[in-house]
Amino acid sequence: MDILEGKKVLTKDGQLHNVSHLLKSKKIIIYYFSASWVQTSVLTEKLKYIYEENLKRNLGMEIIYVSSDTDEKIFRHDYIEHHGAWAAIPFKGIIADELRWMYDITCLPQLVVVKKDGEIITRRGKEELEKLGINVLVTWTDYIQ
């Protein structure tokens, strides 16, 4: 994906990794736009569940957390303590702002689901996940067949 080309993401181990390596075998990216101060525990738990199912079924999805936090210490604590095993856009840099602008994120939380090439599958990922639950995996992966 062009916007992430040459960029690094943060993983739960606190290390930065090349996005190209993380997304090498992935077909779908789920951008999870939120912040520590947003009530997202139910949404995050649903995401953890579909993320684990995605890994078990080898569906080729990756979640990337895009935080709107303004304090790095709070961001890191929230990411490490409350999120699943997915990656996050690092606190420093402008990539999070670019992604929010690119996908017209005006409220939190939001899920934007895209193909690896950047084609948007849905901007209503949160609503679809709430409505369909685990079946959202089938809905989103139908776009890559």
Side-chain angles (χ1 to χ4, degrees):
M1 165 151 221
D2 291 342
I3 195 165
L4 297 178
E5 189 72 32
K7 303 291 193 275
K8 294 190 182 270
V9 289
L10 180 68
T11 53
K12 294 290 268 197
D13 61 6
Q15 301 297 311
L16 293 174
H17 299 274
N18 288 325
V19 170
S20 59
H21 178 70
L22 176 76
L23 300 179
K24 185 176 182 179
S25 62
K26 305 302 179 186
K27 300 172 188 168
I28 293 176
I29 303 167
I30 303 167
Y31 288 110
Y32 180 16
F33 294 92
S34 194
S36 62
W37 41 268
V38 178
Q39 296 288 15
T40 59
S41 59
V42 172
L43 178 61
T44 303
E45 289 306 312
K46 287 180 181 181
L47 275 175
K48 286 178 184 178
Y49 182 66
I50 68 160
Y51 189 72
E52 290 302 318
E53 284 298 312
N54 155 63
L55 294 175
K56 287 178 191 173
R57 300 177 191 189
N58 196 28
L59 296 175
M61 293 181 173
E62 185 59 51
I63 297 173
I64 299 179
Y65 177 57
V66 184
S67 175
S68 291
D69 282 309
T70 57
D71 181 286
E72 186 171 10
K73 187 176 180 181
I74 293 171
F75 156 73
R76 281 188 176 263
H77 174 77
D78 178 58
Y79 171 59
I80 290 173
E81 295 297 321
H82 302 290
H83 287 265
W86 49 78
I89 297 297
F91 183 78
K92 294 185 178 171
I94 61 169
I95 191 71
D97 291 335
E98 290 175 350
L99 287 165
R100 280 189 292 274
W101 180 82
M102 181 179 192
Y103 294 114
D104 194 28
I105 303 300
T106 57
C107 63
L108 301 173
Q110 290 297 319
L111 299 175
V112 177
V113 183
V114 299
K115 291 182 183 179
K116 189 174 177 179
D117 67 5
E119 181 183 341
I120 296 171
I121 293 173
T122 183
R123 292 176 186 266
R124 298 177 40 88
K126 176 181 171 267
E127 292 84 2
E128 291 177 9
L129 177 58
E130 289 170 345
K131 180 180 177 185
L132 300 173
I134 192 69
N135 293 326
V136 78
L137 292 174
V138 174
T139 301
W140 294 343
T141 56
D142 275 352
Y143 287 92
I144 56 172
Q145 304 304 330

